[in-house]
Each structure stands twice: as structure tokens, then as C-alpha cells.
Amino acid sequence: MTNPFDSAGSKAPPKPFTVTEGRREVRSFVLRQGRFTPAQQRAFDERWPRFGIDFNGEPRDLDATFGRVAPKVLEIGFGNGAALRYAAQFDPSKDYIGIEVHAPGVGRLLNALADDGADHVKLYHHDAVEVLEKEIADGALDEIRIYFPDPWHKKRHNKRRLVQPAFAALLVRKLRPGGLLHCATDWADYAEQMWDVLDATEGLANRAGPRGSVPRPDWRPQTHFETRGQKLGHGVWDLLYDRA
């Protein structure tokens, strides 16, 4: 694979989305990283060819990417990578694809995967919507996981939330029949929106019943976002949806 980062020096990485002249997209994220540190640069220089997937904008043969036939699990917005790393250790019989736009977290996970020798994990540094639309074939995924997405808690920013009707329909297309969608949030208002959207999405069935949630499954570790939310008195909601 070609390393998308310029190894000549430590500087901000390329934008993890396609820029269309004269068009401004409403995205679910804002890039907050400042300068790209030398340590983060080294992670991409040394680890990306092994664990990274370059965004090419064309459908991808995931079995060929991993070199085997196995269930495919996609985690959207993996942050610092703790949950994805845990999942790969918890069940190595599955192949894992992680998507994250914030380069520091990608660099951290690249190093962790190298330490683990986890060749059943591949990473995108790109916008998840574009990856799903352009690179993931319909019905190619066995599971999709979205843990603690940005709640965009101010009402005027709610339109930036990732879980919206059009996005939910896209997820349904990418899941195989019998596949699983797992969302988790520690914001009650966002849990309500997830129920509003996902319970009404054709092709999804809430495993816990309408507006239901389940205890944290054993394949998801307690994250630092979750711990922080609990300290603030927030609840935590895990929502499981089966693809019809």
C-alpha cells in the first residue's frame, strides 16, 4: 500500500475526506488535531503499509484485503482504538475494519496493532460516510459498531449527528441479512434520537424491543468516554439492531 503521508517532515496529515470544489458538506466531525507530531508520523511511516487501507473510491474485495474468508466487523469512529484493539483480541476469528478521521488516534492504534501482531485489523483514515458509500459493497459486513459518537449536544448542531435516517439506511445496505448494528452512547438525548431513527428504519429490528437497550455486551470494553460520562452522572445505552 502507498503511504498517504509525506515522510519528509512532521506536519498536518491530508484531510481525511474528499474536497469538492464549490461544495460544503455537513459532516459529523470537526478536525481538532494541531501539528502532527514526529511520533505520530513514524507510526504512519512504519505501520501504515501493514495495517492501513488507502481510500480509492472504488468497491473493495474485503476477503482479498485480509487474505482470508471471515466475518467482517466495522467500527466507525474508533477514537484512540481501545475498543477495536480489545475486540480484535477478544475474538480473532473475525476481521476488523476501523475508521477514524483524527490522525493521532490512528497513529496510536497503528503502534498497538503492531505490538499485538494483529493482522486481522485494517484501518481507514477517512470519512466513514465516504468509505461506506464508495468502498464497502452492499451486504459485505457482518457487524457495524458505533461507540459514543460525538453527541453534538447543542440543538443547533444536532444536524451534525452521525445517526440520521439517510445514514441508517446506508448502514442497512452494507450489512448482510442477519447482521448486527451496535450503537452506544452516554447522552440520553442522543439515545432518544437513535431510537427515533433506528426503530423506524426499514430492515432493522431492535433486539430489546422498541426503544429498548441492553447491558454492555462482553465484546465492548468500558471506554474512557463511558467512564467520564458515568462520573458526570450520565447513563449509558447499548442498542443492538438485527438486520432483517
Side-chain angles (χ1 to χ4, degrees), residues 43 46-48 50-51 85 106-119 121 123:
E46 298 171 7
R47 314 301 190 191
W48 186 263
R50 180 177 177 185
F51 299 106
R85 184 184 189 186
V106 178
R108 181 181 299 182
L109 184 55
L110 286 170
N111 283 329
L113 295 176
D115 290 342
D116 297 342
D119 288 308
V121 184
L123 307 180

Side-chain angles (χ1 to χ4, degrees), residues 19 21 53 64 77 92 100 102 123 128 130 142 150 165 172 178 191 196 211:
V19 178
E21 191 69 27
I53 304 178
E100 178 57 59
H102 298 289
L123 307 180
E130 291 190 25
D142 294 85
D150 193 327
V172 170
D196 289 343
R211 309 191 82 76

Side-chain angles (χ1 to χ4, degrees), residues 2-222:
T2 301
N3 191 330
F5 291 79
D6 180 356
S7 60
S10 178
K11 58 183 180 180
K15 291 182 178 179
F17 51 84
T18 302
V19 178
T20 303
E21 191 69 27
R23 184 175 178 180
R24 185 180 179 86
E25 302 282 355
V26 175
R27 301 185 187 277
S28 63
F29 58 87
V30 172
L31 297 179
R32 300 185 179 89
Q33 66 255 31
R35 285 184 58 81
F36 200 45
T37 69
Q40 292 159 4
Q41 182 73 60
R42 285 194 300 273
F44 276 92
D45 289 342
E46 298 171 7
R47 314 301 190 191
W48 186 263
R50 180 177 177 185
F51 299 106
I53 304 178
D54 298 328
F55 179 81
N56 294 322
E58 298 178 355
R60 188 174 295 275
D61 183 337
L62 295 178
D63 289 339
T65 297
F66 286 92
R68 67 172 183 172
V69 177
K72 300 296 188 286
V73 180
L74 173 67
E75 183 178 339
I76 296 173
F78 60 74
N80 67 10
L84 186 54
R85 184 184 189 186
Y86 175 89
Q89 295 171 335
F90 179 81
D91 188 355
S93 70
K94 298 177 180 178
D95 291 332
Y96 297 87
I97 304 163
I99 305 178
E100 178 57 59
V101 295
H102 298 289
V106 178
R108 181 181 299 182
L109 184 55
L110 286 170
N111 283 329
L113 295 176
D115 290 342
D116 297 342
D119 288 308
H120 59 304
V121 184
K122 303 293 182 184
L123 307 180
Y124 277 100
H125 176 241
H126 205 82
D127 179 6
V129 175
E130 291 190 25
V131 172
L132 285 164
E133 288 178 340
K134 303 293 186 181
E135 300 230 346
I136 305 297
D138 290 355
L141 300 174
D142 294 85
E143 297 180 41
I144 298 175
R145 299 173 180 178
I146 307 173
Y147 298 155
F148 304 97
D150 193 327
W152 291 102
H153 58 278
K154 294 182 179 179
K155 190 169 185 179
R156 69 176 183 272
H157 292 156
N158 283 178
K159 65 183 179 181
R160 287 184 173 271
R161 286 178 172 174
L162 184 63
V163 180
Q164 306 280 357
F167 184 69
L170 178 62
L171 298 180
V172 170
R173 280 174 39 209
K174 302 306 169 179
L175 281 169
R176 66 164 177 80
L180 178 67
L181 171 63
H182 179 189
C183 297
T185 183
D186 61 350
W187 283 82
D189 180 63
Y190 204 176
E192 293 289 346
Q193 178 170 325
M194 288 179 177
W195 282 319
D196 289 343
V197 171
L198 299 176
D199 281 8
T201 298
E202 185 176 355
L204 291 180
N206 190 330
R207 188 172 289 186
R211 309 191 82 76
S213 62
V214 301
R216 177 174 58 85
D218 55 7
W219 63 78
R220 182 179 75 76
Q222 182 164 310

